[in-house]
Each structure stands twice: as C-alpha cells, then as structure tokens.
Amino acid sequence: PNRDFFVLDIADVVPKDDTASMEHPLFSLATKPDMRHLVYSSGDTILKIEPSGRGLPTIFDKDILIFCISQLMHKKNRGEKIGKRVKFSAHEMMLATNRRTDGDSYPRLEQALIRLSGTRFITNIRTGGKVETRIFGLIDEGGFVRNEDSFRVDHCEIVLSDWLMRAIEAAEIVTISNDYFRLRRPLERRIYEIARKHCGSQPRWQISLAKLQEKTGSNAPLKKFRLNIRQIIKD
C-alpha cells in the first residue's frame, strides 16, 4: 500500500464542517450545471469563483469534503498523524452521507471530483491565522482505484488543498448534525450551515433576509427567496 495516503473509514466518526466554507458561499445551490463566474465581498473579504468545465461544485459535492474533514479531525483528536492525501471506500462515504449507491453513483462521484478540483477560488479568506490572496481548488486531485480483474472500484484517493488543510490543522472546524445529510434541498443545507456557524451555543441569532440571501449564494429574486424560506420554515 502507498503509505503516503491516510485511510479513512466510517467507524465512530462525528460529522464536522469547516467554518470558512460555512460562512462563505463556496458551493452552488443549483441542481443543473452552474457555469456562473461569481464575486462575493463581505467586509475586507473578497471571494471570486471561476467554474470548472463541468460547472461550480454543488452543496452536495461538499459531502465528500465533510466526510474527509470528519475523518481527519477524528484521527487528529486521537493524537494520530494526518495528511492531505487520503483514501476511502466510495461506498462507505456514500452510506455515511446518505447518498444513493445505485449504478449511476460512481459517474456522479466522478463529476463531483471534477468540479471540486477544476473550480478555481481566488480569495483572501482567513484560515489558520493567515490572511493572503490564494488561487486554489478545494482538492488538488482525486480519482478511483479499480480492481484489475473485475474493474470494480476498490477505493477513492483525494489530495486536499493546503487551504483546506490549514483549517483542519488550526481546528477551524465545528461538529454538525448527522441529520444534515437528510436535508434534500440545497437551500435547506445552506441555511443550516449558516445557522450552525453563527448561532454556536447561543439560543438566538438574527440576520436580514437580503443579507441571508447573499450569504447563501442564492441567485433567485428576493421575492422567490422569501417564498423558499417560508416553505422551509413550514416543513
């Protein structure tokens, strides 16, 4: 085995998310290929996003990163050595994140890896106590290893970006609910992330609807966004 890779599994791991991507709209809420070039600003923070040839990474693509972050933080908290090169069972990742495991699951996973590695982020977001302008992908590379005899997928291998690893090493990570993966609408997931990040342990937090829409990354008209929020509240 290649000992440069850290092997991940699903045993006794609590899901965790990085606070930088919870705060800022790095992921598209669209369910179809999103080819927009985006620019966000909040205070001194500027974020530009240039899509891959397959579009922007989606909020569901983020499941892969949450799985990796959760596993690495679990090892780190146990005092084990961690690194940016990880490998894991794609089937276990899908089970842990409540994803479908049918015949189309691996092509969908491949498309997600293309979006995660191909999309370029240009930002001065702070991670690990540093503020610098960086141009990066969320993963440096990713792919599958197949068995030579059956050609079935044996495992996935991913190299996380230095930007994401700094957040892990600096423990800029929070625990999220296992039920996060049961939320099927992209906006529901984004609302949960923002609420989890900003509420913390306090019982209440408030934000204007227009500012909330900006934080979610939604490009719907404000009137439509308001209706979507009302539907989520009702559900």
Side-chain angles (χ1 to χ4, degrees), residues 5 84-86 113-114 116-118 120 137-143 156-161:
F5 281 93
K84 62 190 288 186
R85 304 176 69 88
V86 298
L113 294 177
I114 292 171
L116 289 170
S117 61
R120 296 292 97 184
L138 292 169
I139 64 174
D140 290 346
E141 60 180 88
C156 287
E157 296 181 351
I158 289 179
V159 181
L160 301 176
S161 70

PDB file of all heavy atoms in Angstrom, residues 5 84-86 113-114 116-118 120 137-143 156-161:
ATOM      1  N   PHE A   5      -0.839   7.843   1.823  1.00  0.00           N
ATOM      2  CA  PHE A   5      -2.269   8.084   1.970  1.00  0.00           C
ATOM      3  C   PHE A   5      -2.744   7.664   3.362  1.00  0.00           C
ATOM      4  O   PHE A   5      -2.303   6.652   3.893  1.00  0.00           O
ATOM      5  CB  PHE A   5      -3.065   7.308   0.922  1.00  0.00           C
ATOM      6  CG  PHE A   5      -3.078   7.955  -0.433  1.00  0.00           C
ATOM      7  CD1 PHE A   5      -2.140   7.614  -1.382  1.00  0.00           C
ATOM      8  CD2 PHE A   5      -4.021   8.921  -0.754  1.00  0.00           C
ATOM      9  CE1 PHE A   5      -2.151   8.218  -2.627  1.00  0.00           C
ATOM     10  CE2 PHE A   5      -4.035   9.523  -1.992  1.00  0.00           C
ATOM     11  CZ  PHE A   5      -3.094   9.176  -2.934  1.00  0.00           C
ATOM     12  N   LYS A  84      -2.731  15.423   3.904  1.00  0.00           N
ATOM     13  CA  LYS A  84      -3.688  15.884   2.911  1.00  0.00           C
ATOM     14  C   LYS A  84      -4.070  14.810   1.897  1.00  0.00           C
ATOM     15  O   LYS A  84      -5.042  14.939   1.178  1.00  0.00           O
ATOM     16  CB  LYS A  84      -3.148  17.113   2.188  1.00  0.00           C
ATOM     17  CG  LYS A  84      -1.855  16.866   1.421  1.00  0.00           C
ATOM     18  CD  LYS A  84      -1.236  18.157   0.931  1.00  0.00           C
ATOM     19  CE  LYS A  84      -2.034  18.755  -0.202  1.00  0.00           C
ATOM     20  NZ  LYS A  84      -1.356  19.938  -0.794  1.00  0.00           N
ATOM     21  N   ARG A  85      -3.283  13.728   1.810  1.00  0.00           N
ATOM     22  CA  ARG A  85      -3.567  12.642   0.881  1.00  0.00           C
ATOM     23  C   ARG A  85      -4.366  11.571   1.614  1.00  0.00           C
ATOM     24  O   ARG A  85      -3.872  10.977   2.568  1.00  0.00           O
ATOM     25  CB  ARG A  85      -2.268  12.057   0.330  1.00  0.00           C
ATOM     26  CG  ARG A  85      -1.372  13.086  -0.341  1.00  0.00           C
ATOM     27  CD  ARG A  85      -0.048  12.485  -0.781  1.00  0.00           C
ATOM     28  NE  ARG A  85      -0.247  11.563  -1.890  1.00  0.00           N
ATOM     29  CZ  ARG A  85      -0.243  11.933  -3.172  1.00  0.00           C
ATOM     30  NH1 ARG A  85      -0.063  13.200  -3.503  1.00  0.00           N
ATOM     31  NH2 ARG A  85      -0.415  11.026  -4.119  1.00  0.00           N
ATOM     32  N   VAL A  86      -5.599  11.352   1.191  1.00  0.00           N
ATOM     33  CA  VAL A  86      -6.472  10.410   1.888  1.00  0.00           C
ATOM     34  C   VAL A  86      -7.076   9.422   0.893  1.00  0.00           C
ATOM     35  O   VAL A  86      -7.207   9.715  -0.299  1.00  0.00           O
ATOM     36  CB  VAL A  86      -7.608  11.138   2.643  1.00  0.00           C
ATOM     37  CG1 VAL A  86      -7.041  12.065   3.702  1.00  0.00           C
ATOM     38  CG2 VAL A  86      -8.500  11.921   1.683  1.00  0.00           C
ATOM     39  N   LEU A 113     -15.865  15.134  -8.286  1.00  0.00           N
ATOM     40  CA  LEU A 113     -14.418  15.320  -8.133  1.00  0.00           C
ATOM     41  C   LEU A 113     -13.875  16.290  -9.182  1.00  0.00           C
ATOM     42  O   LEU A 113     -12.973  17.090  -8.898  1.00  0.00           O
ATOM     43  CB  LEU A 113     -13.694  13.975  -8.228  1.00  0.00           C
ATOM     44  CG  LEU A 113     -13.979  12.980  -7.092  1.00  0.00           C
ATOM     45  CD1 LEU A 113     -13.262  11.663  -7.359  1.00  0.00           C
ATOM     46  CD2 LEU A 113     -13.569  13.543  -5.745  1.00  0.00           C
ATOM     47  N   ILE A 114     -14.421  16.224 -10.397  1.00  0.00           N
ATOM     48  CA  ILE A 114     -14.009  17.165 -11.447  1.00  0.00           C
ATOM     49  C   ILE A 114     -14.354  18.597 -11.045  1.00  0.00           C
ATOM     50  O   ILE A 114     -13.539  19.516 -11.197  1.00  0.00           O
ATOM     51  CB  ILE A 114     -14.666  16.802 -12.796  1.00  0.00           C
ATOM     52  CG1 ILE A 114     -14.101  15.484 -13.333  1.00  0.00           C
ATOM     53  CG2 ILE A 114     -14.476  17.928 -13.819  1.00  0.00           C
ATOM     54  CD1 ILE A 114     -14.837  14.945 -14.543  1.00  0.00           C
ATOM     55  N   LEU A 116     -14.851  19.762  -7.963  1.00  0.00           N
ATOM     56  CA  LEU A 116     -14.081  20.164  -6.783  1.00  0.00           C
ATOM     57  C   LEU A 116     -12.636  20.503  -7.134  1.00  0.00           C
ATOM     58  O   LEU A 116     -12.045  21.418  -6.552  1.00  0.00           O
ATOM     59  CB  LEU A 116     -14.100  19.046  -5.736  1.00  0.00           C
ATOM     60  CG  LEU A 116     -15.429  18.815  -5.012  1.00  0.00           C
ATOM     61  CD1 LEU A 116     -15.369  17.532  -4.206  1.00  0.00           C
ATOM     62  CD2 LEU A 116     -15.775  19.995  -4.100  1.00  0.00           C
ATOM     63  N   SER A 117     -12.051  19.771  -8.076  1.00  0.00           N
ATOM     64  CA  SER A 117     -10.653  20.014  -8.419  1.00  0.00           C
ATOM     65  C   SER A 117     -10.497  21.092  -9.485  1.00  0.00           C
ATOM     66  O   SER A 117      -9.497  21.816  -9.507  1.00  0.00           O
ATOM     67  CB  SER A 117      -9.984  18.723  -8.902  1.00  0.00           C
ATOM     68  OG  SER A 117     -10.617  18.230 -10.068  1.00  0.00           O
ATOM     69  N   GLY A 118     -11.494  21.220 -10.371  1.00  0.00           N
ATOM     70  CA  GLY A 118     -11.363  22.131 -11.503  1.00  0.00           C
ATOM     71  C   GLY A 118     -11.778  23.566 -11.229  1.00  0.00           C
ATOM     72  O   GLY A 118     -11.287  24.496 -11.875  1.00  0.00           O
ATOM     73  N   ARG A 120     -11.763  27.136  -9.650  1.00  0.00           N
ATOM     74  CA  ARG A 120     -10.701  27.966  -9.046  1.00  0.00           C
ATOM     75  C   ARG A 120     -11.325  29.002  -8.120  1.00  0.00           C
ATOM     76  O   ARG A 120     -12.289  29.682  -8.477  1.00  0.00           O
ATOM     77  CB  ARG A 120      -9.907  28.706 -10.119  1.00  0.00           C
ATOM     78  CG  ARG A 120      -9.130  27.823 -11.070  1.00  0.00           C
ATOM     79  CD  ARG A 120      -7.974  27.106 -10.380  1.00  0.00           C
ATOM     80  NE  ARG A 120      -8.331  25.761  -9.985  1.00  0.00           N
ATOM     81  CZ  ARG A 120      -7.534  24.948  -9.309  1.00  0.00           C
ATOM     82  NH1 ARG A 120      -6.352  25.365  -8.920  1.00  0.00           N
ATOM     83  NH2 ARG A 120      -7.924  23.738  -8.998  1.00  0.00           N
ATOM     84  N   GLY A 137      -7.933  25.157  -5.795  1.00  0.00           N
ATOM     85  CA  GLY A 137      -9.100  24.291  -5.867  1.00  0.00           C
ATOM     86  C   GLY A 137      -9.315  23.704  -4.486  1.00  0.00           C
ATOM     87  O   GLY A 137      -8.413  23.708  -3.647  1.00  0.00           O
ATOM     88  N   LEU A 138     -10.487  23.202  -4.231  1.00  0.00           N
ATOM     89  CA  LEU A 138     -10.758  22.629  -2.919  1.00  0.00           C
ATOM     90  C   LEU A 138     -10.032  21.301  -2.726  1.00  0.00           C
ATOM     91  O   LEU A 138      -9.681  20.925  -1.611  1.00  0.00           O
ATOM     92  CB  LEU A 138     -12.258  22.454  -2.721  1.00  0.00           C
ATOM     93  CG  LEU A 138     -13.011  23.780  -2.615  1.00  0.00           C
ATOM     94  CD1 LEU A 138     -14.509  23.552  -2.699  1.00  0.00           C
ATOM     95  CD2 LEU A 138     -12.664  24.508  -1.320  1.00  0.00           C
ATOM     96  N   ILE A 139      -9.811  20.571  -3.836  1.00  0.00           N
ATOM     97  CA  ILE A 139      -8.916  19.416  -3.793  1.00  0.00           C
ATOM     98  C   ILE A 139      -7.876  19.587  -4.897  1.00  0.00           C
ATOM     99  O   ILE A 139      -8.162  20.186  -5.932  1.00  0.00           O
ATOM    100  CB  ILE A 139      -9.672  18.077  -3.949  1.00  0.00           C
ATOM    101  CG1 ILE A 139     -10.352  17.969  -5.317  1.00  0.00           C
ATOM    102  CG2 ILE A 139     -10.692  17.890  -2.838  1.00  0.00           C
ATOM    103  CD1 ILE A 139     -10.995  16.596  -5.577  1.00  0.00           C
ATOM    104  N   ASP A 140      -6.668  19.092  -4.645  1.00  0.00           N
ATOM    105  CA  ASP A 140      -5.619  19.190  -5.659  1.00  0.00           C
ATOM    106  C   ASP A 140      -5.787  18.127  -6.732  1.00  0.00           C
ATOM    107  O   ASP A 140      -5.455  18.347  -7.897  1.00  0.00           O
ATOM    108  CB  ASP A 140      -4.238  19.052  -5.010  1.00  0.00           C
ATOM    109  CG  ASP A 140      -3.885  20.266  -4.160  1.00  0.00           C
ATOM    110  OD1 ASP A 140      -4.566  21.303  -4.296  1.00  0.00           O
ATOM    111  OD2 ASP A 140      -2.928  20.186  -3.364  1.00  0.00           O
ATOM    112  N   GLU A 141      -6.270  16.966  -6.327  1.00  0.00           N
ATOM    113  CA  GLU A 141      -6.542  15.902  -7.293  1.00  0.00           C
ATOM    114  C   GLU A 141      -7.456  14.873  -6.643  1.00  0.00           C
ATOM    115  O   GLU A 141      -7.639  14.863  -5.422  1.00  0.00           O
ATOM    116  CB  GLU A 141      -5.257  15.232  -7.762  1.00  0.00           C
ATOM    117  CG  GLU A 141      -4.446  14.584  -6.660  1.00  0.00           C
ATOM    118  CD  GLU A 141      -3.173  13.931  -7.182  1.00  0.00           C
ATOM    119  OE1 GLU A 141      -2.147  14.613  -7.272  1.00  0.00           O
ATOM    120  OE2 GLU A 141      -3.246  12.718  -7.504  1.00  0.00           O
ATOM    121  N   GLY A 142      -8.031  14.012  -7.460  1.00  0.00           N
ATOM    122  CA  GLY A 142      -8.891  12.963  -6.941  1.00  0.00           C
ATOM    123  C   GLY A 142      -9.144  11.917  -8.000  1.00  0.00           C
ATOM    124  O   GLY A 142      -9.002  12.185  -9.198  1.00  0.00           O
ATOM    125  N   GLY A 143      -9.488  10.700  -7.578  1.00  0.00           N
ATOM    126  CA  GLY A 143      -9.757   9.653  -8.553  1.00  0.00           C
ATOM    127  C   GLY A 143     -10.115   8.345  -7.889  1.00  0.00           C
ATOM    128  O   GLY A 143     -10.251   8.253  -6.668  1.00  0.00           O
ATOM    129  N   CYS A 156     -11.348   5.297  -3.347  1.00  0.00           N
ATOM    130  CA  CYS A 156     -11.085   6.640  -3.864  1.00  0.00           C
ATOM    131  C   CYS A 156      -9.813   7.191  -3.234  1.00  0.00           C
ATOM    132  O   CYS A 156      -9.502   6.862  -2.083  1.00  0.00           O
ATOM    133  CB  CYS A 156     -12.235   7.593  -3.523  1.00  0.00           C
ATOM    134  SG  CYS A 156     -13.711   7.320  -4.466  1.00  0.00           S
ATOM    135  N   GLU A 157      -9.136   8.026  -3.966  1.00  0.00           N
ATOM    136  CA  GLU A 157      -7.978   8.738  -3.439  1.00  0.00           C
ATOM    137  C   GLU A 157      -8.135  10.223  -3.740  1.00  0.00           C
ATOM    138  O   GLU A 157      -8.486  10.598  -4.861  1.00  0.00           O
ATOM    139  CB  GLU A 157      -6.682   8.214  -4.061  1.00  0.00           C
ATOM    140  CG  GLU A 157      -6.378   6.767  -3.720  1.00  0.00           C
ATOM    141  CD  GLU A 157      -5.076   6.257  -4.316  1.00  0.00           C
ATOM    142  OE1 GLU A 157      -4.482   6.992  -5.140  1.00  0.00           O
ATOM    143  OE2 GLU A 157      -4.659   5.135  -3.973  1.00  0.00           O
ATOM    144  N   ILE A 158      -7.925  11.054  -2.730  1.00  0.00           N
ATOM    145  CA  ILE A 158      -8.083  12.502  -2.863  1.00  0.00           C
ATOM    146  C   ILE A 158      -6.899  13.191  -2.195  1.00  0.00           C
ATOM    147  O   ILE A 158      -6.413  12.735  -1.155  1.00  0.00           O
ATOM    148  CB  ILE A 158      -9.402  12.987  -2.221  1.00  0.00           C
ATOM    149  CG1 ILE A 158     -10.606  12.532  -3.056  1.00  0.00           C
ATOM    150  CG2 ILE A 158      -9.431  14.503  -2.068  1.00  0.00           C
ATOM    151  CD1 ILE A 158     -11.937  12.944  -2.477  1.00  0.00           C
ATOM    152  N   VAL A 159      -6.433  14.269  -2.810  1.00  0.00           N
ATOM    153  CA  VAL A 159      -5.436  15.137  -2.188  1.00  0.00           C
ATOM    154  C   VAL A 159      -6.117  16.471  -1.894  1.00  0.00           C
ATOM    155  O   VAL A 159      -6.512  17.189  -2.817  1.00  0.00           O
ATOM    156  CB  VAL A 159      -4.211  15.351  -3.101  1.00  0.00           C
ATOM    157  CG1 VAL A 159      -3.184  16.249  -2.410  1.00  0.00           C
ATOM    158  CG2 VAL A 159      -3.582  14.014  -3.478  1.00  0.00           C
ATOM    159  N   LEU A 160      -6.292  16.778  -0.623  1.00  0.00           N
ATOM    160  CA  LEU A 160      -6.957  18.016  -0.223  1.00  0.00           C
ATOM    161  C   LEU A 160      -6.032  19.211  -0.440  1.00  0.00           C
ATOM    162  O   LEU A 160      -4.807  19.081  -0.421  1.00  0.00           O
ATOM    163  CB  LEU A 160      -7.357  17.934   1.256  1.00  0.00           C
ATOM    164  CG  LEU A 160      -8.301  16.795   1.643  1.00  0.00           C
ATOM    165  CD1 LEU A 160      -8.524  16.791   3.150  1.00  0.00           C
ATOM    166  CD2 LEU A 160      -9.634  16.908   0.915  1.00  0.00           C
ATOM    167  N   SER A 161      -6.625  20.384  -0.629  1.00  0.00           N
ATOM    168  CA  SER A 161      -5.822  21.596  -0.844  1.00  0.00           C
ATOM    169  C   SER A 161      -5.162  22.049   0.456  1.00  0.00           C
ATOM    170  O   SER A 161      -5.629  21.746   1.560  1.00  0.00           O
ATOM    171  CB  SER A 161      -6.707  22.730  -1.378  1.00  0.00           C
ATOM    172  OG  SER A 161      -7.593  23.180  -0.375  1.00  0.00           O
TER     173      SER A 161
END
